[in-house]
Amino acid sequence: LRDAYHGTRSDDERESSNCRWNRHTLRAGAELQGFPSKDTNLSPSTFYLWHQSFEPCSGRFYYYRRSSQESLSKPPRTGFVPMVRRPAESPKARSSMPLSVPHEKYWSQRRRLFSLFDHGVQLDTESWFSVTPECVAHHQAWRCMQKLHNDHHQSLLCDINRHEPLVIFDAFCGVGGNTIAFARHLNVHVFACDTDKERLRMASHNARVYNVSTAVSFLHGDALNIMNKAILKEECSPFSTRKIDMIFLSPPWGGPEYRAAETFDLSSILVSGFTLIQVLNMALKLCRNVAFFLPRNTDLQSLAAELTVPFKVEREYVNRKEKSMTLYFGKLAEG
């Protein structure tokens, strides 16, 4: 990155700059960028418009130029503009914080939860501390789709007339953080379920903000009851004529108080009268491909002792801090 602050260019950039610029333009450009320029043929397209950005899915920086819509995986030799932090919120901006926000720290992280927050994303009080951060949700969806699409492609080759999308059941969708992440992938249909009707309405609204509402069907009801009907193959089940390719579980963790405990015990939280381990076992009966989103302090030893199927654990970090973990079962745990 140090080379980006010097007035040297690559061969491609040297050939692309054919026009000459006078010394006043060069001096102004050098002062604007903060370093001296010695090249009299420096084009403003290569000097000013390279920007740095970050791709959370791959965990890498990339560099783009707005004028020509070009992108690079390595830093350019000239015109590099380093990524800057957003300025601190002004007192006026903090005073506009909605009453539904439980704490100021959640408001300062609102664009980390939803990058399109300013486009009208809606959250209730519980969702501010329970929704999955967008970068984590997108990574979970990317990992699952990578595993499932390979198997789905093989099944389509066996039956050339099949054009069915992958069916994903988000059992505790909340305001739609993970639902949106899954629905943004091609050839996917998500069934999002929640017991709170108002929260389901917010999830539907947020899906429209991200333009994925056509890839989502929202179910108002108890997810455990829906899974039990699907296991019994009842006709009233929404999955009576559809095969579920994957189940995503992000059950309630009992509020922010889980952080104070040394370990998070899955038997201490009840969902519709069932412990989280019982919820997991019910999901595994319905579909072997399950992703289970849990707190970072989950007691894995006690969980492994009660399960008879193998699984893979992946820990998620945001800003170098461990935030959570995800357990993958079935094909999601392969590789």
Side-chain angles (χ1 to χ4, degrees), residues 197-315:
K197 200 168 186 177
E198 179 62 19
R199 198 172 297 145
L200 210 61
R201 183 197 62 79
M202 292 181 179
S204 177
H205 170 81
N206 295 338
R208 289 194 297 272
V209 171
Y210 279 83
N211 198 26
V212 295
S213 57
T214 56
V216 183
S217 296
F218 292 96
L219 306 174
H220 178 232
D222 186 3
L224 302 182
N225 188 31
I226 292 175
M227 286 193 290
N228 189 45
K229 289 181 178 179
I231 293 172
L232 299 176
K233 298 182 180 181
E234 296 184 9
E235 294 183 359
C236 59
S237 169
F239 304 112
S240 58
T241 58
R242 300 179 180 91
K243 175 190 173 184
I244 299 178
D245 295 287
M246 176 198 158
I247 298 176
F248 183 81
L249 299 176
S250 180
W253 296 347
E257 293 77 12
Y258 76 89
R259 302 172 187 169
E262 184 176 352
T263 58
F264 180 78
D265 187 8
L266 273 70
S267 60
S268 62
I269 303 295
L270 296 179
V271 178
S272 300
F274 295 90
T275 65
L276 296 186
I277 295 179
Q278 291 174 327
V279 173
L280 174 60
N281 287 326
M282 184 179 296
L284 290 172
K285 285 182 180 179
L286 181 58
C287 178
R288 60 186 294 258
N289 304 320
V290 176
F292 198 15
F293 190 45
L294 293 170
R296 62 177 181 267
N297 57 343
T298 300
D299 187 3
L300 291 178
Q301 291 184 350
S302 62
L303 174 63
E306 298 192 40
L307 293 176
T308 58
V309 293
F311 61 91
K312 181 172 286 188
V313 180
E314 188 173 79
R315 298 181 182 272

Side-chain angles (χ1 to χ4, degrees), residues 47-326:
F47 191 80
Y48 292 110
L49 298 182
W50 284 107
H51 296 265
Q52 181 187 22
S53 188
F54 182 73
E55 175 57 47
C57 293
S58 61
R60 296 179 180 178
F61 289 96
Y62 68 95
Y63 310 88
Y64 65 96
R65 189 161 58 180
R66 292 174 181 168
S67 59
S68 58
Q69 297 183 350
E70 299 178 64
S71 62
L72 296 174
S73 59
K74 296 181 180 180
R77 290 298 185 93
T78 61
F80 172 65
V81 181
M83 185 170 62
V84 296
R85 293 182 178 273
R86 290 181 179 270
E89 295 282 0
S90 63
K92 183 178 180 180
R94 286 195 295 268
S95 64
S96 62
M97 183 174 67
L99 296 176
S100 63
V101 183
H103 195 276
E104 185 178 323
K105 68 177 182 180
Y106 297 113
W107 179 246
S108 64
Q109 299 174 3
R110 59 192 182 276
R111 296 184 186 92
R112 188 181 299 170
L113 303 179
F114 289 96
S115 60
L116 298 185
F117 180 88
D118 297 326
H119 292 255
V121 170
Q122 298 178 357
L123 297 92
D124 62 354
T125 302
E126 183 179 333
S127 300
W128 281 100
F129 54 80
S130 63
V131 68
T132 308
E134 188 170 278
C135 61
V136 176
H138 278 290
H139 172 74
Q140 292 169 330
W142 171 83
R143 177 190 169 89
C144 295
M145 292 301 101
Q146 190 180 39
K147 303 293 183 182
L148 293 176
H149 271 306
N150 292 335
D151 180 65
H152 190 61
H153 179 67
Q154 294 296 329
S155 63
L156 290 178
L157 292 178
C158 298
D159 187 356
I160 197 67
N161 296 319
R162 280 190 60 193
H163 299 284
E164 299 176 358
L166 287 169
V167 175
I168 298 175
F169 181 46
D170 188 355
F172 308 94
C173 71
V175 294
N178 289 98
T179 298
I180 293 171
F182 283 115
R184 294 180 76 174
H185 288 260
L186 295 175
N187 200 29
V188 169
H189 194 86
V190 184
F191 286 84
C193 178
D194 203 276
T195 56
D196 192 305
K197 200 168 186 177
E198 179 62 19
R199 198 172 297 145
L200 210 61
R201 183 197 62 79
M202 292 181 179
S204 177
H205 170 81
N206 295 338
R208 289 194 297 272
V209 171
Y210 279 83
N211 198 26
V212 295
S213 57
T214 56
V216 183
S217 296
F218 292 96
L219 306 174
H220 178 232
D222 186 3
L224 302 182
N225 188 31
I226 292 175
M227 286 193 290
N228 189 45
K229 289 181 178 179
I231 293 172
L232 299 176
K233 298 182 180 181
E234 296 184 9
E235 294 183 359
C236 59
S237 169
F239 304 112
S240 58
T241 58
R242 300 179 180 91
K243 175 190 173 184
I244 299 178
D245 295 287
M246 176 198 158
I247 298 176
F248 183 81
L249 299 176
S250 180
W253 296 347
E257 293 77 12
Y258 76 89
R259 302 172 187 169
E262 184 176 352
T263 58
F264 180 78
D265 187 8
L266 273 70
S267 60
S268 62
I269 303 295
L270 296 179
V271 178
S272 300
F274 295 90
T275 65
L276 296 186
I277 295 179
Q278 291 174 327
V279 173
L280 174 60
N281 287 326
M282 184 179 296
L284 290 172
K285 285 182 180 179
L286 181 58
C287 178
R288 60 186 294 258
N289 304 320
V290 176
F292 198 15
F293 190 45
L294 293 170
R296 62 177 181 267
N297 57 343
T298 300
D299 187 3
L300 291 178
Q301 291 184 350
S302 62
L303 174 63
E306 298 192 40
L307 293 176
T308 58
V309 293
F311 61 91
K312 181 172 286 188
V313 180
E314 188 173 79
R315 298 181 182 272
E316 290 90 18
Y317 291 80
V318 178
N319 287 348
R320 299 182 180 180
K321 295 181 180 179
E322 186 179 358
K323 293 294 183 180
S324 56
M325 68 171 67
T326 306

